[in-house]
Amino acid sequence: MSRFDEIARSNPEYVEDLYRQYRKDPASVDERWALVFAGYEFGMGAAGERPSIGRAVADLVHAYRTVGYLAADVDPLDRTPRTHPLLQLEQVGLSEKDLVRVVDASAVRGLSAVPLGELVTVLRDTYCGPVGVESMTIDDKAQREWLQEHIEPSRNRPALGDDDRRGILARLVAAETFEQFLQTRFVGQKRFSLEGSEALIPLLDTIVEDAASAGVEEMVLGMPHRGRLNALAHVMRKPYELILAEFEGSFLPWDVHGDGDVKYHLGYSHDHVTQQGRPIHLSMTSNPSHLEAIDPVVEGMVRAKQAYLDDRQRTRVVPVLMHGDAAFLGQGLVFETLMMSQLPGFTTGGTVHVVINNQIGFTTDPVDYRLSRYPSEPARVVRAPVFHVNGDEPEAVVQAGRLAVGFRQAFGMDVFVDLVCYRRHGHNELDDPALTQPVLYRTIQSHPSVAQRYGDALERAGVVDGAARRQLREAARAVLEQALAASREDMPRQKVVPFGGAW
């Protein structure tokens, strides 16, 4: 019989009890068990420190990477928990007394030997800040390592200069001013406002810029009605005059048969040149049924474009799908589209998904229409990473966009950005949300806009001053006033363009 048979066949509870005795006093257990436990701790520990703490540190890092997103600061209304039982020191055998101990933290990219307290701070900043990374369903080693390399050294923050920050503020101010202008000039007209989720504009800007830098030549976008007018104006560059003419009720020329749809269902195309001087063709698909029905249409368009361009690597044409939080979970078409996403006959090489999570389904609280913490649960079907991001933190939104594009281009897989925000008005501008959600909307009414909050932060940091902020708003308003005057004088309308060329 082998000398180790007795050890191998021992009761696990008995072994654990012996190990606890050994931890208190190694001489209190049989010499054979002492050798086993010493070998175990030598294998699991790090040189120069108490052996058992190496395993504890590794478990702590794994816990933050796995469930840190459940304690992330991603809700602008500050209603999400900021702790989780699996992130407690005691869960991995550590205590507050250990925070001053220097440990080997090299498992975290960019760290070496640091006090345990510093390691915990880094982990919380990285995984429990305004970007929560959900990757626990990913079983591919290369994908996990890619995420760690692109998240941990930077503490999950983007590298931005002051000009970048001023540019983000200008885009937020333009988006907010556009909505406020429509609200005051066209009282009582539906537009399905973007207010509360204006960070979608810098998010899409980032996706477009980074995609073009990665060699993408075309991008096809699909989205529902909410925020479409703002995205058409500020991402697709549809002229204000055309949008305002649709509010004015301008007619098409007599020789053009009408499009027969409302303004917040229309599409547009634009040849865009990025800040780096790279061209990229953008197409936003019309969506008459205004929810998830557009998903497979966009995928089919992208697949056809890839075939036409002989884009066999599927890196030159990229689909971007935007979803409402309730519709994303509630419509079966979403699951059908996702389940086809990696099939050879249907794949488009990965879709960048943006869930505009305004935390309400028509008039229903999330707790009453979904079982999960976040609405991005279908992402688990395709083992895709999800970047949950606070819609009141524009720089975090930029980081999420960069990660999404980078991951998609690196692995040809779907990727999700869960933009956690809120809806400032009702389901549309004719609804009074306080009737069905009085408590929530008292909070929202007193909550400053993302443009206001970000402008205040930049002013405190000395990046902008009050005069510059006022000038941004005045300039944005003046452009809209000029466009409104032109729309009334010339009565333009968006032309109805039938399929042409290869289509």
Side-chain angles (χ1 to χ4, degrees):
M1 183 172 64
S2 169
R3 59 186 299 186
F4 295 108
D5 279 357
E6 181 183 348
I7 296 173
R9 293 182 296 170
S10 295
N11 184 288
E13 294 180 359
Y14 169 69
V15 175
E16 289 180 3
D17 185 60
L18 282 178
Y19 184 52
R20 282 192 290 269
Q21 293 182 41
Y22 172 83
R23 292 286 302 277
K24 294 177 181 178
D25 179 11
S28 66
V29 301
D30 183 272
E31 182 181 3
R32 292 178 301 166
W33 283 109
L35 290 173
V36 169
F37 295 142
Y40 167 77
E41 292 192 340
F42 178 80
M44 300 305 298
E49 63 182 20
R50 184 176 176 177
S52 60
I53 202 169
R55 176 59 183 268
V57 168
D59 289 345
L60 185 66
V61 172
H62 178 71
Y64 273 94
R65 287 171 174 168
T66 304
V67 300
Y69 75 99
L70 293 173
D73 181 19
V74 296
D75 184 2
L77 304 179
D78 196 25
R79 298 182 299 172
T80 52
R82 300 304 315 281
T83 60
H84 191 279
L86 293 177
L87 301 179
Q88 302 302 312
L89 291 175
E90 293 76 13
Q91 185 68 29
V92 295
L94 298 170
S95 69
E96 297 287 332
K97 296 179 181 179
D98 293 312
L99 292 176
V100 297
R101 297 184 60 181
V102 175
V103 299
D104 178 9
S106 58
V108 178
R109 305 309 199 266
L111 289 183
S112 53
V114 297
L116 178 63
E118 182 178 337
L119 171 62
V120 171
T121 299
V122 168
L123 290 171
R124 286 203 62 84
D125 287 349
T126 304
Y127 289 102
C128 300
V131 182
V133 180
E134 182 178 356
S135 59
M136 60 189 302
T137 61
I138 296 178
D139 53 15
D140 184 278
K141 183 173 183 289
Q143 293 176 17
R144 283 180 172 267
E145 291 180 346
W146 187 96
L147 289 170
Q148 293 162 17
E149 289 287 351
H150 286 78
I151 290 170
E152 292 176 351
S154 66
R155 308 295 181 260
N156 218 357
R157 302 294 196 276
L160 297 173
D162 287 349
D163 286 343
D164 298 320
R165 294 184 169 92
R166 285 187 284 264
I168 293 171
L169 178 61
R171 299 292 279 160
L172 292 171
V173 168
E176 180 179 286
T177 304
F178 175 77
E179 297 290 0
Q180 293 174 345
F181 183 83
L182 296 180
Q183 178 78 354
T184 56
R185 290 293 187 173
F186 302 100
V187 179
Q189 288 208 40
K190 293 181 182 179
R191 69 181 193 278
F192 296 97
S193 163
L194 189 65
E195 289 170 275
S197 50
E198 294 96 332
L200 175 68
I201 301 305
L203 173 59
L204 293 177
D205 286 345
T206 301
I207 290 172
V208 170
E209 290 283 331
D210 277 45
S213 296
V216 177
E217 300 169 12
E218 291 194 48
M219 188 167 278
V220 182
L221 297 87
M223 72 180 298
H225 50 303
R226 185 166 309 284
R228 174 180 285 263
L229 294 177
N230 214 309
L232 284 170
H234 298 116
V235 179
M236 304 304 301
R237 312 288 176 166
K238 180 177 179 178
Y240 284 151
E241 290 83 355
L242 294 182
I243 296 174
L244 296 175
E246 290 156 4
F247 276 93
E248 288 286 321
S250 303
F251 295 102
L252 288 167
W254 66 271
D255 59 338
V256 176
H257 297 289
D259 47 11
D261 209 345
V262 290
K263 49 192 169 289
Y264 42 79
H265 288 176
L266 301 178
Y268 201 74
S269 294
H270 170 61
D271 288 318
H272 180 67
V273 178
T274 69
Q275 295 179 358
Q276 304 300 320
R278 297 177 181 273
I280 181 171
H281 182 71
L282 305 177
S283 297
M284 182 177 288
T285 309
S286 298
N287 189 5
S289 45
H290 76 198
L291 287 176
E292 300 293 336
I294 200 61
D295 297 358
V297 177
V298 167
E299 301 294 349
M301 292 175 65
V302 169
R303 176 86 179 192
K305 285 175 177 287
Q306 290 172 341
Y308 183 73
L309 296 174
D310 196 28
D311 180 16
R312 300 186 182 185
Q313 300 301 314
R314 309 197 186 283
T315 56
R316 296 164 59 192
V317 188
V318 171
V320 177
L321 288 176
M322 285 159 273
H323 315 270
D325 47 347
F328 187 67
L329 269 178
Q331 292 193 252
L333 192 66
V334 172
F335 291 88
E336 294 172 14
T337 304
L338 288 176
M339 289 301 292
M340 298 170 71
S341 64
Q342 294 300 311
L343 298 179
F346 298 91
T347 184
T348 56
T351 300
V352 178
H353 298 267
V354 177
V355 179
I356 304 173
N357 179 5
N358 55 36
Q359 307 188 75
I360 192 168
F362 191 48
T363 61
T364 308
D365 279 325
V367 69
D368 293 321
Y369 80 79
R370 68 174 189 245
L371 298 175
S372 56
R373 168 78 61 83
Y374 300 111
S376 54
E377 205 73 359
R380 295 175 178 240
V381 173
V382 289
R383 296 182 175 86
V386 183
F387 305 110
H388 305 278
V389 60
N390 190 321
D392 264 4
E393 298 286 346
E395 295 183 17
V397 169
V398 168
Q399 172 72 354
R402 289 180 175 178
L403 290 170
V405 172
F407 186 90
R408 189 273 177 196
Q409 290 298 92
F411 298 104
M413 297 282 293
D414 284 36
V415 62
F416 292 76
V417 176
D418 174 25
L419 180 63
V420 187
C421 47
Y422 57 92
R423 190 184 70 194
R424 188 164 292 278
H425 302 292
H427 177 67
N428 63 59
E429 288 66 38
L430 303 182
D431 299 330
D432 181 1
L435 294 175
T436 53
Q437 297 288 341
V439 176
L440 172 63
Y441 273 87
R442 277 198 296 271
T443 300
I444 290 175
Q445 286 169 4
S446 62
H447 190 79
S449 70
V450 59
Q452 180 69 42
R453 291 170 56 90
Y454 191 56
D456 291 346
L458 293 189
E459 191 167 345
R460 288 193 298 270
V463 178
V464 296
D465 57 25
R469 294 174 65 185
R470 287 190 295 273
Q471 186 177 4
L472 278 177
R473 291 191 178 276
E474 291 167 1
R477 180 84 184 188
V479 170
L480 286 163
E481 294 285 5
Q482 293 171 6
L484 179 59
S487 72
R488 288 172 172 172
E489 179 179 345
D490 299 331
M491 305 293 280
R493 279 292 304 273
Q494 179 178 338
K495 294 181 179 179
V496 179
V497 181
F499 287 117
W503 313 110

